[in-house]
Amino acid sequence: MRQSNSFLPNKKDSKAVSNDYTIKQESVKLDSSLRLLFQGSNKFKIGLVNGIFGTHLNYSCDVVELNKDFSDSNLGKREADILVEVTMYQKEKHLYHIEFQVKTDETMSLRMFEYGSKVALQKSFENKTFNSITFPKQCVMFFTKKGEAPSKLDLDVIFSSEDCEGDNVIKYKIPCISYFDLSDEEIIKRFKPFIVFKLYGLKHKYNGKNRNVIKEDFLVKFNDIKNILINSYEDEELSSVDYGHCVDILNSLSDYANNKFKLEVDIKKELTGMKSIVEEWKKEFREEGMKEGMKEGERKARVSTIIKLYKKGMTVEDILYYTEESESFVKSCIEAYNNKINK
């Protein structure tokens, strides 16, 4: 959860302030990477929500990221990390709020309640449901050292007994996930793209150790992550857009580890190779479309290629990327196809 007011070190208690500033900078870097994951395809975002909250949302659900800015009476403007609204097939809507933390914070339960209440009130006014409020489903994911993060956050919300029917104390609980307490297998099973953040864990693992040892561990982790992402892309678990985001995050976290430990590891060639895979696939689909064009006619081949990609589970954004067709043409092809199979 970010605050808009800037934090700058001063001369008082410079060591402590410097440490807080470093944590804040790392938090912003991690936040931006995590947010990037939620800018991908609908299927990708649904997968992440299911993995984090243990839900079983259908991939046909629509996911919209909501306004995350709220005013805070003590600290000015605050911004939530992830706030999404999922629309079910029957038009039923559910809200999900996720916060990412690089350190433990004793005020976290209050902050989560504050966010939950503001989201709930905002939605009540929008929907004109003035006699009840519905909180979003919430979760905090910690990127702290193993064993440091709580399994849940608790808060007693106490009302005046005279104004309540029944118990006047509500037990407010928010589940937490401790990323570095999860095994690689658990991460891959629940939210595979999050495997890229294993590189961030080097900061917890090493403190003044031999640089060559850190470098060796870094390269092992980097190559493991690289292979997982490439295989996921080739198996069509990741779309081109989502895969590209993961590669960008891997690049960012590699730079972070390189700079923090002064590893001097050059991985530009590997990252370029990862990105070139998308271009190779893009070229392959174009060539396939051209071949079909020679046989069946240009427009028919274009439609055929679009429907093939759509049937593979690709989003409109992915299809636009591969084919370089206009958005209106792609959508009209998909609409015609859906109308045909639904008759």
Side-chain angles (χ1 to χ4, degrees), residues 180-222:
F180 290 112
D181 280 306
L182 300 175
S183 66
D184 289 359
E185 291 74 22
E186 287 179 286
I187 293 171
I188 290 170
K189 182 179 179 181
R190 293 179 63 180
F191 24 68
K192 186 182 287 187
F194 276 40
I195 198 70
V196 296
F197 298 105
K198 277 293 183 179
L199 284 181
Y200 184 76
L202 291 172
K203 73 185 286 289
H204 299 316
K205 191 173 181 180
Y206 296 106
N207 185 15
K209 288 194 176 183
N210 187 292
R211 190 185 302 172
N212 289 330
V213 175
I214 304 174
K215 184 183 293 188
E216 184 178 344
D217 196 5
F218 168 84
L219 289 172
V220 169
K221 281 185 169 57
F222 176 87

Side-chain angles (χ1 to χ4, degrees), residues 294-306:
M294 294 172 67
K295 295 177 183 178
E296 307 175 49
E298 184 181 348
R299 190 180 189 284
K300 189 175 180 181
R302 288 163 59 201
V303 173
S304 176
T305 300
I306 288 169

